[in-house]
Coordinates of all heavy atoms in Angstrom, one line a residue:
I138 N -1.1 3.9 10.0 CA -1.7 3.0 11.0 C -1.9 1.6 10.4 O -1.5 0.6 11.0 CB -3.0 3.6 11.6 CG1 -2.7 4.8 12.5 CG2 -3.7 2.5 12.4 CD1 -3.9 5.7 12.8
H139 N -2.4 1.6 9.2 CA -2.5 0.3 8.5 C -1.1 -0.4 8.3 O -1.0 -1.6 8.6 CB -3.1 0.5 7.1 CG -4.5 0.9 7.2 ND1 -5.1 1.5 6.1 CD2 -5.5 1.0 8.2 CE1 -6.4 1.9 6.4 NE2 -6.6 1.5 7.7
A140 N -0.2 0.3 7.9 CA 1.2 -0.2 7.7 C 1.7 -0.8 9.0 O 2.3 -1.9 9.1 CB 2.1 0.8 7.2
G141 N 1.5 -0.1 10.1 CA 1.9 -0.5 11.4 C 1.2 -1.8 11.9 O 1.8 -2.7 12.4
D142 N -0.1 -1.9 11.6 CA -0.8 -3.1 11.9 C -0.3 -4.3 11.2 O 0.0 -5.3 11.8 CB -2.3 -2.9 11.6 CG -3.1 -2.1 12.5 OD1 -2.6 -1.8 13.7 OD2 -4.2 -1.6 12.2
H143 N 0.0 -4.1 9.9 CA 0.5 -5.2 9.0 C 2.0 -5.5 9.5 O 2.3 -6.7 9.6 CB 0.6 -4.8 7.5 CG -0.8 -4.4 7.0 ND1 -1.9 -5.0 7.4 CD2 -1.1 -3.7 5.9 CE1 -2.9 -4.5 6.7 NE2 -2.5 -3.7 5.8
Y144 N 2.7 -4.5 9.8 CA 4.1 -4.8 10.2 C 4.2 -5.6 11.6 O 5.0 -6.5 11.7 CB 4.8 -3.4 10.5 CG 6.3 -3.5 10.7 CD1 7.2 -3.8 9.6 CD2 6.9 -3.4 11.9 CE1 8.5 -3.9 9.8 CE2 8.2 -3.5 12.1 CZ 9.1 -3.8 11.0 OH 10.4 -3.9 11.2
R145 N 3.3 -5.3 12.5 CA 3.3 -6.0 13.7 C 2.9 -7.5 13.5 O 3.4 -8.4 14.3 CB 2.3 -5.4 14.8 CG 3.0 -4.1 15.4 CD 2.1 -3.5 16.5 NE 0.9 -2.9 15.9 CZ 0.9 -1.7 15.4 NH1 2.0 -1.0 15.2 NH2 -0.2 -1.2 14.9
E146 N 2.1 -7.8 12.5 CA 1.7 -9.2 12.2 C 2.9 -10.0 11.7 O 2.9 -11.2 11.6 CB 0.6 -9.3 11.2 CG -0.8 -8.9 11.8 CD -1.2 -9.7 12.9 OE1 -1.0 -11.0 12.9 OE2 -1.8 -9.2 13.9
L147 N 4.0 -9.3 11.3 CA 5.2 -9.9 10.7 C 6.3 -10.0 11.7 O 7.4 -10.2 11.3 CB 5.6 -9.1 9.5 CG 4.6 -9.1 8.3 CD1 5.0 -8.0 7.3 CD2 4.6 -10.5 7.7
K148 N 6.0 -9.9 13.0 CA 7.0 -9.9 14.0 C 7.8 -11.2 14.0 O 9.0 -11.2 14.6 CB 6.4 -9.7 15.4 CG 5.4 -10.8 15.8 CD 4.7 -10.4 17.1 CE 3.5 -11.3 17.4 NZ 2.3 -11.0 16.6
H149 N 7.4 -12.3 13.4 CA 8.1 -13.5 13.4 C 9.3 -13.5 12.4 O 10.2 -14.4 12.5 CB 7.2 -14.7 13.1 CG 6.6 -14.6 11.7 ND1 5.5 -13.7 11.4 CD2 6.9 -15.2 10.5 CE1 5.2 -13.8 10.2 NE2 6.0 -14.7 9.6
L150 N 9.3 -12.6 11.5 CA 10.4 -12.5 10.4 C 11.7 -12.1 10.9 O 11.7 -11.2 11.8 CB 9.9 -11.6 9.3 CG 8.8 -12.2 8.4 CD1 8.4 -11.2 7.3 CD2 9.0 -13.5 7.8
E151 N 12.8 -12.6 10.4 CA 14.1 -12.2 10.9 C 15.0 -11.9 9.7 O 16.2 -11.7 9.8 CB 14.7 -13.3 11.7 CG 13.9 -13.5 13.0 CD 14.5 -14.6 13.9 OE1 15.7 -15.1 13.6 OE2 13.9 -15.0 14.9
T152 N 14.4 -11.9 8.5 CA 15.2 -11.5 7.3 C 14.5 -10.5 6.4 O 13.3 -10.3 6.6 CB 15.5 -12.8 6.4 OG1 14.2 -13.3 6.0 CG2 16.2 -13.9 7.2
G153 N 15.2 -9.9 5.5 CA 14.6 -9.0 4.6 C 13.8 -9.7 3.5 O 14.0 -10.9 3.2
R154 N 12.7 -9.0 3.1 CA 11.8 -9.6 2.1 C 11.5 -8.4 1.1 O 11.5 -7.3 1.5 CB 10.5 -10.1 2.7 CG 10.7 -11.2 3.7 CD 11.1 -12.5 3.0 NE 11.6 -13.5 4.0 CZ 10.8 -14.3 4.7 NH1 9.5 -14.2 4.6 NH2 11.3 -15.2 5.5
A155 N 11.1 -8.8 -0.1 CA 10.6 -7.8 -1.1 C 9.1 -7.7 -1.1 O 8.4 -8.7 -1.0 CB 11.1 -8.3 -2.5
A156 N 8.7 -6.5 -1.1 CA 7.2 -6.2 -1.1 C 6.9 -5.9 -2.6 O 7.6 -5.1 -3.2 CB 6.9 -5.0 -0.2
H157 N 5.8 -6.4 -3.1 CA 5.3 -6.2 -4.4 C 3.9 -5.5 -4.3 O 3.0 -6.2 -3.9 CB 5.2 -7.5 -5.2 CG 6.4 -8.3 -5.2 ND1 7.6 -7.9 -6.0 CD2 6.9 -9.3 -4.5 CE1 8.6 -8.7 -5.7 NE2 8.2 -9.6 -4.8
S158 N 3.8 -4.3 -4.5 CA 2.6 -3.5 -4.3 C 2.2 -2.7 -5.4 O 3.1 -2.1 -6.1 CB 2.8 -2.7 -3.0 OG 3.2 -3.4 -1.9
M159 N 0.9 -2.5 -5.6 CA 0.4 -1.5 -6.6 C 0.7 -0.2 -6.1 O 0.3 0.2 -5.0 CB -1.1 -1.7 -6.8 CG -1.6 -1.0 -8.0 SD -1.9 0.8 -7.7 CE -3.4 1.1 -8.5
A160 N 1.4 0.6 -6.8 CA 1.7 2.0 -6.4 C 1.6 2.9 -7.6 O 1.9 2.6 -8.7 CB 3.1 2.0 -5.9
A161 N 1.0 4.1 -7.3 CA 0.8 5.1 -8.4 C 2.0 6.0 -8.4 O 2.4 6.5 -7.3 CB -0.5 5.9 -8.0
F162 N 2.6 6.1 -9.5 CA 3.7 7.0 -9.7 C 3.4 8.1 -10.7 O 2.4 8.0 -11.5 CB 4.9 6.2 -10.1 CG 5.4 5.3 -9.0 CD1 5.1 4.0 -9.0 CD2 6.2 5.8 -8.0 CE1 5.6 3.2 -8.0 CE2 6.7 5.0 -7.0 CZ 6.3 3.6 -7.0
G163 N 4.2 9.1 -10.8 CA 4.0 10.2 -11.7 C 3.1 11.3 -11.2 O 2.1 11.6 -11.7
P164 N 3.5 11.8 -10.0 CA 2.7 12.9 -9.4 C 2.6 14.1 -10.3 O 3.4 14.4 -11.1 CB 3.4 13.2 -8.1 CG 4.9 12.9 -8.4 CD 4.8 11.7 -9.3
G165 N 1.5 14.8 -10.0 CA 1.3 16.0 -10.8 C 0.5 17.1 -10.0 O 0.7 17.2 -8.8
D166 N -0.5 17.7 -10.7 CA -1.3 18.7 -10.0 C -2.3 17.9 -9.1 O -2.3 16.7 -9.1 CB -2.0 19.6 -10.9 CG -3.0 18.9 -11.8 OD1 -3.3 17.8 -11.6 OD2 -3.4 19.6 -12.8
T167 N -3.0 18.6 -8.2 CA -3.9 17.9 -7.3 C -4.9 17.1 -8.0 O -5.3 16.0 -7.5 CB -4.5 19.0 -6.3 OG1 -3.4 19.6 -5.6 CG2 -5.5 18.4 -5.3
L168 N -5.4 17.6 -9.1 CA -6.5 16.7 -9.8 C -5.9 15.4 -10.2 O -6.5 14.3 -10.0 CB -7.1 17.5 -10.9 CG -8.2 16.8 -11.6 CD1 -9.4 16.6 -10.6 CD2 -8.7 17.6 -12.8
K169 N -4.7 15.4 -10.7 CA -4.0 14.2 -11.1 C -3.8 13.3 -9.9 O -4.0 12.1 -9.9 CB -2.7 14.4 -11.9 CG -2.0 13.1 -12.3 CD -0.7 13.4 -13.0 CE 0.0 12.0 -13.3 NZ 1.3 12.2 -13.9
N170 N -3.3 14.0 -8.8 CA -2.9 13.2 -7.6 C -4.2 12.6 -7.0 O -4.1 11.4 -6.5 CB -2.3 14.1 -6.6 CG -0.9 14.6 -7.1 OD1 -0.3 13.9 -8.0 ND2 -0.4 15.6 -6.5
L171 N -5.3 13.2 -7.0 CA -6.6 12.7 -6.6 C -6.9 11.4 -7.4 O -7.4 10.4 -6.9 CB -7.7 13.7 -6.6 CG -7.7 14.6 -5.4 CD1 -8.6 15.8 -5.7 CD2 -8.0 14.0 -4.1
G172 N -6.7 11.5 -8.7 CA -7.0 10.4 -9.6 C -6.1 9.2 -9.2 O -6.5 8.0 -9.2
L173 N -4.8 9.4 -9.0 CA -3.9 8.4 -8.5 C -4.3 7.8 -7.2 O -4.3 6.6 -7.0 CB -2.5 8.9 -8.4 CG -1.8 9.4 -9.7 CD1 -0.5 10.1 -9.4 CD2 -1.6 8.3 -10.7
A174 N -4.8 8.6 -6.3 CA -5.2 8.1 -5.0 C -6.5 7.3 -5.1 O -6.6 6.2 -4.5 CB -5.5 9.3 -4.0
I175 N -7.4 7.7 -6.0 CA -8.6 7.0 -6.2 C -8.3 5.6 -6.8 O -8.8 4.6 -6.4 CB -9.6 7.8 -7.1 CG1 -10.2 8.9 -6.3 CG2 -10.7 6.9 -7.7 CD1 -10.9 10.0 -7.1
A176 N -7.4 5.6 -7.8 CA -7.0 4.3 -8.4 C -6.4 3.4 -7.4 O -6.7 2.1 -7.4 CB -6.0 4.6 -9.6
G177 N -5.6 3.8 -6.5 CA -5.0 3.0 -5.5 C -6.0 2.5 -4.5 O -6.0 1.3 -4.2
E178 N -6.8 3.3 -4.1 CA -7.9 2.9 -3.1 C -8.8 1.9 -3.7 O -9.3 1.0 -3.1 CB -8.6 4.2 -2.5 CG -7.8 5.2 -1.8 CD -7.1 4.6 -0.5 OE1 -7.7 3.8 0.2 OE2 -6.0 5.1 -0.2
Q179 N -9.2 2.2 -5.0 CA -10.2 1.3 -5.7 C -9.5 -0.1 -5.8 O -10.2 -1.1 -5.6 CB -10.5 1.9 -7.0 CG -11.7 1.2 -7.7 CD -12.2 2.0 -8.9 OE1 -11.9 3.2 -9.0 NE2 -12.9 1.4 -9.7
Y180 N -8.2 -0.2 -6.2 CA -7.5 -1.4 -6.3 C -7.6 -2.2 -4.9 O -7.9 -3.4 -4.9 CB -6.1 -1.2 -6.7 CG -5.2 -2.4 -6.5 CD1 -5.3 -3.5 -7.4 CD2 -4.3 -2.4 -5.5 CE1 -4.5 -4.5 -7.3 CE2 -3.4 -3.6 -5.4 CZ -3.5 -4.6 -6.2 OH -2.8 -5.7 -6.1
E181 N -7.3 -1.5 -3.8 CA -7.4 -2.1 -2.5 C -8.7 -2.6 -2.2 O -8.9 -3.7 -1.6 CB -6.9 -1.1 -1.4 CG -5.4 -0.8 -1.5 CD -4.9 0.2 -0.5 OE1 -5.8 1.0 0.0 OE2 -3.8 0.2 -0.2
V182 N -9.8 -1.9 -2.5 CA -11.1 -2.2 -2.1 C -11.7 -3.3 -3.0 O -12.4 -4.2 -2.5 CB -12.1 -1.0 -2.2 CG1 -13.5 -1.3 -2.1 CG2 -11.7 0.0 -1.1
E183 N -11.4 -3.3 -4.3 CA -12.0 -4.2 -5.2 C -11.2 -5.5 -5.5 O -11.8 -6.5 -5.8 CB -12.3 -3.5 -6.6 CG -13.3 -2.4 -6.5 CD -13.6 -1.7 -7.8 OE1 -12.9 -2.0 -8.8 OE2 -14.4 -0.7 -7.8
E184 N -9.9 -5.4 -5.3 CA -9.1 -6.5 -5.6 C -8.2 -7.0 -4.5 O -8.3 -8.1 -4.1 CB -8.2 -6.2 -6.9 CG -9.0 -5.9 -8.1 CD -8.1 -5.7 -9.3 OE1 -7.2 -6.5 -9.5 OE2 -8.4 -4.7 -10.0

């Protein structure tokens, strides 16, 4: 839903663009994946 909200705000664009985003890579077990999710959410909230 967030991605869709952001995308609709870009309706004026007519060319491709590069997105530079913090992304957690290196999935593992659920405990590791929760740590990756927490790091991503914390980045969004704090920075």
Side-chain angles (χ1 to χ4, degrees):
I138 293 166
H139 295 163
D142 287 343
H143 299 334
Y144 191 75
R145 282 184 291 281
E146 288 298 322
L147 295 166
K148 62 187 169 282
H149 63 282
L150 292 178
E151 296 181 10
T152 62
R154 301 287 169 84
H157 307 284
S158 305
M159 189 281 221
F162 291 99
D166 64 13
T167 297
L168 187 58
K169 179 181 178 185
N170 292 343
L171 283 165
L173 294 172
I175 288 167
E178 300 295 328
Q179 192 166 341
Y180 167 74
E181 289 177 335
V182 168
E183 294 178 1
E184 297 184 46

